[in-house]
Every structure is written in structure tokens, then in C-alpha cells.
Amino acid sequence: MSFWHFTVEASYFIAAVLFIVGLKRMGSPKTARGGIIWAGAGMVLATVVTLWHPAMEAGVGRYFLMLLAIAIGGIGAWISGKRVQMTAMPQMVALYNGMGGGAAAAIALVEMYSGAAWAHGTTVLGLAVLGAIIGGVSFSGSLIAWAKLEGVQKKTIRLPQQHLINGGLALATIVLGLFIVTADSSTPVLVTVLLLATLVLGVLITNPIGGADMPVVISLYNALTGLAVAFEGFVLSNPAMIIAGTVVGAAGSLLTILMANAMNRSLANVLFAGFGVDDGAEAEGPEGEMKSVEAFDAAASFAYSDTLIIVPGYGLAVAQAQHKLWEFVQMLQKEHDVDVKFAIHPVAGRMPGHMNVLLAEAGVPYDMIYDLEDINAEFPTADAALVIGANDVVNPAARTDESSPIYGMPILDVDKARECYVIKRGKGTGFSGVQNALFFGDNTRMIFGDAKQVCTDLAAGLKQL
């Protein structure tokens, strides 16, 4: 083994260690930022070393194109990453994840178009085809997920006999892939048809899925992208791609399972049930009168409470109200000696950890933030609960109404608190399109308005007391 070859392989090993350490550190909000830096350093090392790989047979022109592509991608990602709002982070994750799947598919296609994949043998060729299928589906499916979350696609499209169409196309794609694997040489026409079939399949699979399930779908496509990258790592004999793809695939799979369990739904139900209603559809649930109060009255109730549990949701993120909320909470703690805790549902917001990041951004200490299983037992003894922009994750119909689409989903038991206040912009339903029984409860009072302005008014109300 030459010195350069040893250096490259050793660097790939170090990069793999950095990936794993980074992923481990991302498991806690306290170390997540450092984890991203560690994993990023591993990616930079793997990329730089690859450019010096002994097997890299590229002239000056090709090196220029590669560096130009890295510069364009890096600058674009830096600018978009700096500008993106926290509310738009899920769709950015979907978009970037789709690019990863597309890149994996592109590697496979290049190897097959050139005929190089056949030189590696049937096993490697099979992995190339499998990576192309998975990467293509992840690419187009992630773009649909992005369009739904970004609001570009406002309508959920469901075809007649949707599952039959999807199953038929999936079967045809697999058969075509097997035919390519057993072919004697490169068949550009069939490879092109395979590419188009995978892209259409990704669109057809994702289109019928309602918006409430998009976070789970994004996580699933993230896992598929990692798997595709690992397969293409075998095709290119690149250990860094194999390890990084395997780690991403495993992590994405675990996250998908955890999110599905948090909604008490199977992955098959997420993919094939079409959960979530279209815009303008009739919402299911109770009817009655929502009792509203002014922010000052709510502030007075909180000031004379011993315990308050706050449940943040997507409405908090949209209004960018986390800083004003934290100012209000600090006043309650310092001036009225109220014990305040934050309760986070596993699927609050649009992606796992969404609310944790928002609260950390405002300076909320980690020891004030509790997960569902740690906080639910405290709601019956809490003097008050404050829900800010959350909907489906606090809907008691999930416990009591067997006909509800969200029945069985674990929720935060805010309705069991002595008093419950809900900050909400209007009277609409949540992301699932299901009406919330909490809003009509005897112990519930609604504070209508923009969350940021309401939090400002709550703080002003405390000052008047």
C-alpha cells in the first residue's frame, strides 16, 4: 500500500469517527451544536481527501468543475442557511435531503451509463440499481414534501385506485431494475426509463400523504437517502460514503420509528392512509362556543398561580414569540414566584426538536423543558396550563373519541389542569384538519391574537398588577 493510499484510507476512518461522534452529540440540545461541527469537520476531511485519492484520474478541467460545484453548493447553502427562519427549517431539511438522494441516484446513473457498473460484477451492479431506485424516490418525494410544507403545493392530490397505481409502478420499477442487472452490458434507454420511473414513483407515493404526516415522511426519506449513499459507496469502493450513509440511514430509521410511535401510528398507516384533510374540507370534532378572555385577565390568573405549565407549538414559531414569552416567564418567576415548566410533545412543530431549539434560542434553561412522559403526570396538580399555537398534540379527542383520526395518539394532558388558556390566531383546525375538543372545555379560555403580541400583552398585564 502506497503512502498516499494509506493516508486516504486513514483519513476516511477518521472522518467516519467524526461522523459517529457528531451524531452522538446531536442527541442532546446541550451538545447538538458541537455535534454538527464535529460531523461537518468529518465531511470536509472526506471531501478534501477524495480530491487527492490515488484513483482520481482527473485533469485540470475536471478539478476546476468539481471545485466550482463545491463552491456553488457551499455558498448557496451558507446563504440559505443563514437566512432561513426556524419555521421554514423542516422544508429546508426536506430540500437538502432530496439533494442527497438525487446525488446518490446520479452516481449510480453515471456508473451505469458509462458501463463501469457492469465491470464490478452482479452484486455491485445490483447495489447501483437499488441505490438509483431509492435515491430517485427520495429525491422526488422530498421535493413534494418541500412543496407541501412551503405552501407551493396547497392541494393534496389523490388519484383513483391510488394504491393500485403505486403498487403497479413499484413492481414495474423493480422488474426493470432486475432486467438491467441481468443484462450483459449498459442499456442507456432502460437506465433512462428506470430513472423516470423512480422519479414518478416518489411523486405518487408522497402526493396523497397529508400535511400532518410530512415530518415522518421527511425522516423516512432521510433514512432512504442514507441507504442510497451507502449502496453507492460500495459501487465506488468509498469507505467514507459507506459509513456515512449507513449512519444516516440507521439514525433516520430510528427517528422515523420514534415519530410514528409518538403518533401511535404504524409507518404503513402513515404512507398509505392519506391522513390529513385538504384545505377547505370540513373539520371533524365538537361544536360549541369558545370562551375568550383578554390577555390582562389571563396574566392575573397566572400571577396568582403556584404552578404553570407552558406548551409551545408551531404558532409560537410562526410568530417568533419565544423571546417575548421568555420575558413574560421571567417576570412570573422573579416577581410572583410562580413555578413554570415547559412541556414538549415529540412531534410538536414540524420536526423533532423544533420547539427545543426555539426555546434554547430565547435562553430558556434546559432544566425547565420536559418531555411528554416526564410532565404529563403533573398536569392534574397544575394550577394553570398555557398552550401557545399547539393544536393536535393537546387534543383530548385522542384519548376519548374512538372515531377521531388521531385517536390513540399520545397527547399532553393540558385539559386536566385546573385552568387552561390557549393562545391562538383564529378558530381554525390544526395541521391534521381535526377540530380540537380542548378549545370547548369548561376550564379552557381562548386568547385570540398573534402569539408575539399576546405574550407582550401578558407581560404588560403583569406590570399593571
PDB file of all heavy atoms in Angstrom, residues 289-305:
ATOM      1  N   GLU A 289     -69.197  26.809  21.705  1.00  0.00           N
ATOM      2  CA  GLU A 289     -68.689  28.178  21.813  1.00  0.00           C
ATOM      3  C   GLU A 289     -67.335  28.182  22.512  1.00  0.00           C
ATOM      4  O   GLU A 289     -67.168  27.575  23.577  1.00  0.00           O
ATOM      5  CB  GLU A 289     -69.683  29.040  22.596  1.00  0.00           C
ATOM      6  CG  GLU A 289     -69.247  30.491  22.720  1.00  0.00           C
ATOM      7  CD  GLU A 289     -70.218  31.323  23.514  1.00  0.00           C
ATOM      8  OE1 GLU A 289     -71.267  30.779  23.922  1.00  0.00           O
ATOM      9  OE2 GLU A 289     -69.928  32.515  23.746  1.00  0.00           O
ATOM     10  N   MET A 290     -66.384  28.862  21.894  1.00  0.00           N
ATOM     11  CA  MET A 290     -65.088  29.055  22.521  1.00  0.00           C
ATOM     12  C   MET A 290     -65.170  30.300  23.412  1.00  0.00           C
ATOM     13  O   MET A 290     -65.571  31.367  22.958  1.00  0.00           O
ATOM     14  CB  MET A 290     -63.992  29.240  21.460  1.00  0.00           C
ATOM     15  CG  MET A 290     -63.808  28.054  20.548  1.00  0.00           C
ATOM     16  SD  MET A 290     -62.450  28.323  19.362  1.00  0.00           S
ATOM     17  CE  MET A 290     -62.606  26.872  18.312  1.00  0.00           C
ATOM     18  N   LYS A 291     -64.783  30.140  24.663  1.00  0.00           N
ATOM     19  CA  LYS A 291     -64.852  31.241  25.622  1.00  0.00           C
ATOM     20  C   LYS A 291     -63.531  31.999  25.607  1.00  0.00           C
ATOM     21  O   LYS A 291     -62.494  31.431  25.915  1.00  0.00           O
ATOM     22  CB  LYS A 291     -65.161  30.692  27.018  1.00  0.00           C
ATOM     23  CG  LYS A 291     -66.489  29.945  27.079  1.00  0.00           C
ATOM     24  CD  LYS A 291     -66.694  29.272  28.412  1.00  0.00           C
ATOM     25  CE  LYS A 291     -65.844  28.014  28.535  1.00  0.00           C
ATOM     26  NZ  LYS A 291     -66.261  26.953  27.599  1.00  0.00           N
ATOM     27  N   SER A 292     -63.577  33.273  25.241  1.00  0.00           N
ATOM     28  CA  SER A 292     -62.356  34.059  25.116  1.00  0.00           C
ATOM     29  C   SER A 292     -62.194  35.028  26.281  1.00  0.00           C
ATOM     30  O   SER A 292     -63.177  35.445  26.909  1.00  0.00           O
ATOM     31  CB  SER A 292     -62.363  34.840  23.795  1.00  0.00           C
ATOM     32  OG  SER A 292     -63.413  35.780  23.778  1.00  0.00           O
ATOM     33  N   VAL A 293     -60.936  35.358  26.578  1.00  0.00           N
ATOM     34  CA  VAL A 293     -60.605  36.345  27.611  1.00  0.00           C
ATOM     35  C   VAL A 293     -59.520  37.269  27.076  1.00  0.00           C
ATOM     36  O   VAL A 293     -58.870  36.966  26.074  1.00  0.00           O
ATOM     37  CB  VAL A 293     -60.105  35.675  28.910  1.00  0.00           C
ATOM     38  CG1 VAL A 293     -61.178  34.817  29.532  1.00  0.00           C
ATOM     39  CG2 VAL A 293     -58.854  34.859  28.633  1.00  0.00           C
ATOM     40  N   GLU A 294     -59.333  38.381  27.756  1.00  0.00           N
ATOM     41  CA  GLU A 294     -58.269  39.304  27.385  1.00  0.00           C
ATOM     42  C   GLU A 294     -56.955  38.868  28.037  1.00  0.00           C
ATOM     43  O   GLU A 294     -56.948  38.140  29.040  1.00  0.00           O
ATOM     44  CB  GLU A 294     -58.621  40.728  27.819  1.00  0.00           C
ATOM     45  CG  GLU A 294     -59.849  41.292  27.139  1.00  0.00           C
ATOM     46  CD  GLU A 294     -59.677  41.390  25.636  1.00  0.00           C
ATOM     47  OE1 GLU A 294     -58.553  41.715  25.184  1.00  0.00           O
ATOM     48  OE2 GLU A 294     -60.658  41.130  24.916  1.00  0.00           O
ATOM     49  N   ALA A 295     -55.864  39.319  27.473  1.00  0.00           N
ATOM     50  CA  ALA A 295     -54.543  38.948  27.980  1.00  0.00           C
ATOM     51  C   ALA A 295     -54.345  39.376  29.434  1.00  0.00           C
ATOM     52  O   ALA A 295     -53.712  38.668  30.216  1.00  0.00           O
ATOM     53  CB  ALA A 295     -53.459  39.555  27.093  1.00  0.00           C
ATOM     54  N   PHE A 296     -54.912  40.523  29.818  1.00  0.00           N
ATOM     55  CA  PHE A 296     -54.741  41.010  31.194  1.00  0.00           C
ATOM     56  C   PHE A 296     -55.350  40.031  32.194  1.00  0.00           C
ATOM     57  O   PHE A 296     -54.765  39.744  33.251  1.00  0.00           O
ATOM     58  CB  PHE A 296     -55.386  42.383  31.352  1.00  0.00           C
ATOM     59  CG  PHE A 296     -55.354  42.897  32.763  1.00  0.00           C
ATOM     60  CD1 PHE A 296     -54.217  43.500  33.277  1.00  0.00           C
ATOM     61  CD2 PHE A 296     -56.461  42.741  33.610  1.00  0.00           C
ATOM     62  CE1 PHE A 296     -54.183  43.952  34.595  1.00  0.00           C
ATOM     63  CE2 PHE A 296     -56.427  43.184  34.916  1.00  0.00           C
ATOM     64  CZ  PHE A 296     -55.285  43.795  35.404  1.00  0.00           C
ATOM     65  N   ASP A 297     -56.555  39.507  31.887  1.00  0.00           N
ATOM     66  CA  ASP A 297     -57.213  38.566  32.797  1.00  0.00           C
ATOM     67  C   ASP A 297     -56.402  37.282  32.923  1.00  0.00           C
ATOM     68  O   ASP A 297     -56.287  36.706  34.016  1.00  0.00           O
ATOM     69  CB  ASP A 297     -58.616  38.261  32.284  1.00  0.00           C
ATOM     70  CG  ASP A 297     -59.504  39.493  32.239  1.00  0.00           C
ATOM     71  OD1 ASP A 297     -59.423  40.301  33.181  1.00  0.00           O
ATOM     72  OD2 ASP A 297     -60.250  39.656  31.262  1.00  0.00           O
ATOM     73  N   ALA A 298     -55.849  36.820  31.812  1.00  0.00           N
ATOM     74  CA  ALA A 298     -55.010  35.615  31.856  1.00  0.00           C
ATOM     75  C   ALA A 298     -53.755  35.877  32.675  1.00  0.00           C
ATOM     76  O   ALA A 298     -53.330  35.028  33.468  1.00  0.00           O
ATOM     77  CB  ALA A 298     -54.643  35.184  30.448  1.00  0.00           C
ATOM     78  N   ALA A 299     -53.141  37.047  32.497  1.00  0.00           N
ATOM     79  CA  ALA A 299     -51.928  37.382  33.244  1.00  0.00           C
ATOM     80  C   ALA A 299     -52.203  37.399  34.744  1.00  0.00           C
ATOM     81  O   ALA A 299     -51.377  36.925  35.542  1.00  0.00           O
ATOM     82  CB  ALA A 299     -51.401  38.741  32.784  1.00  0.00           C
ATOM     83  N   ALA A 300     -53.351  37.914  35.138  1.00  0.00           N
ATOM     84  CA  ALA A 300     -53.713  37.952  36.558  1.00  0.00           C
ATOM     85  C   ALA A 300     -53.858  36.535  37.108  1.00  0.00           C
ATOM     86  O   ALA A 300     -53.412  36.232  38.217  1.00  0.00           O
ATOM     87  CB  ALA A 300     -55.012  38.731  36.740  1.00  0.00           C
ATOM     88  N   SER A 301     -54.465  35.636  36.308  1.00  0.00           N
ATOM     89  CA  SER A 301     -54.625  34.258  36.750  1.00  0.00           C
ATOM     90  C   SER A 301     -53.270  33.576  36.914  1.00  0.00           C
ATOM     91  O   SER A 301     -53.031  32.880  37.907  1.00  0.00           O
ATOM     92  CB  SER A 301     -55.481  33.496  35.728  1.00  0.00           C
ATOM     93  OG  SER A 301     -55.604  32.135  36.097  1.00  0.00           O
ATOM     94  N   PHE A 302     -52.363  33.825  35.980  1.00  0.00           N
ATOM     95  CA  PHE A 302     -51.025  33.225  36.070  1.00  0.00           C
ATOM     96  C   PHE A 302     -50.258  33.768  37.272  1.00  0.00           C
ATOM     97  O   PHE A 302     -49.525  33.030  37.937  1.00  0.00           O
ATOM     98  CB  PHE A 302     -50.245  33.499  34.794  1.00  0.00           C
ATOM     99  CG  PHE A 302     -50.843  32.881  33.554  1.00  0.00           C
ATOM    100  CD1 PHE A 302     -50.748  33.522  32.333  1.00  0.00           C
ATOM    101  CD2 PHE A 302     -51.508  31.670  33.616  1.00  0.00           C
ATOM    102  CE1 PHE A 302     -51.296  32.963  31.193  1.00  0.00           C
ATOM    103  CE2 PHE A 302     -52.071  31.092  32.485  1.00  0.00           C
ATOM    104  CZ  PHE A 302     -51.972  31.748  31.273  1.00  0.00           C
ATOM    105  N   ALA A 303     -50.428  35.056  37.553  1.00  0.00           N
ATOM    106  CA  ALA A 303     -49.682  35.688  38.648  1.00  0.00           C
ATOM    107  C   ALA A 303     -50.049  35.094  39.998  1.00  0.00           C
ATOM    108  O   ALA A 303     -49.212  35.028  40.903  1.00  0.00           O
ATOM    109  CB  ALA A 303     -49.940  37.189  38.640  1.00  0.00           C
ATOM    110  N   TYR A 304     -51.295  34.647  40.130  1.00  0.00           N
ATOM    111  CA  TYR A 304     -51.751  34.092  41.409  1.00  0.00           C
ATOM    112  C   TYR A 304     -51.725  32.567  41.419  1.00  0.00           C
ATOM    113  O   TYR A 304     -52.284  31.939  42.320  1.00  0.00           O
ATOM    114  CB  TYR A 304     -53.159  34.607  41.728  1.00  0.00           C
ATOM    115  CG  TYR A 304     -53.173  36.090  42.014  1.00  0.00           C
ATOM    116  CD1 TYR A 304     -53.669  36.989  41.088  1.00  0.00           C
ATOM    117  CD2 TYR A 304     -52.647  36.589  43.212  1.00  0.00           C
ATOM    118  CE1 TYR A 304     -53.667  38.357  41.327  1.00  0.00           C
ATOM    119  CE2 TYR A 304     -52.640  37.955  43.474  1.00  0.00           C
ATOM    120  CZ  TYR A 304     -53.149  38.827  42.524  1.00  0.00           C
ATOM    121  OH  TYR A 304     -53.133  40.189  42.778  1.00  0.00           O
ATOM    122  N   SER A 305     -51.069  31.988  40.426  1.00  0.00           N
ATOM    123  CA  SER A 305     -50.912  30.536  40.380  1.00  0.00           C
ATOM    124  C   SER A 305     -49.595  30.137  41.028  1.00  0.00           C
ATOM    125  O   SER A 305     -48.622  30.897  41.030  1.00  0.00           O
ATOM    126  CB  SER A 305     -50.927  30.040  38.918  1.00  0.00           C
ATOM    127  OG  SER A 305     -52.156  30.339  38.293  1.00  0.00           O
TER     128      SER A 305
END
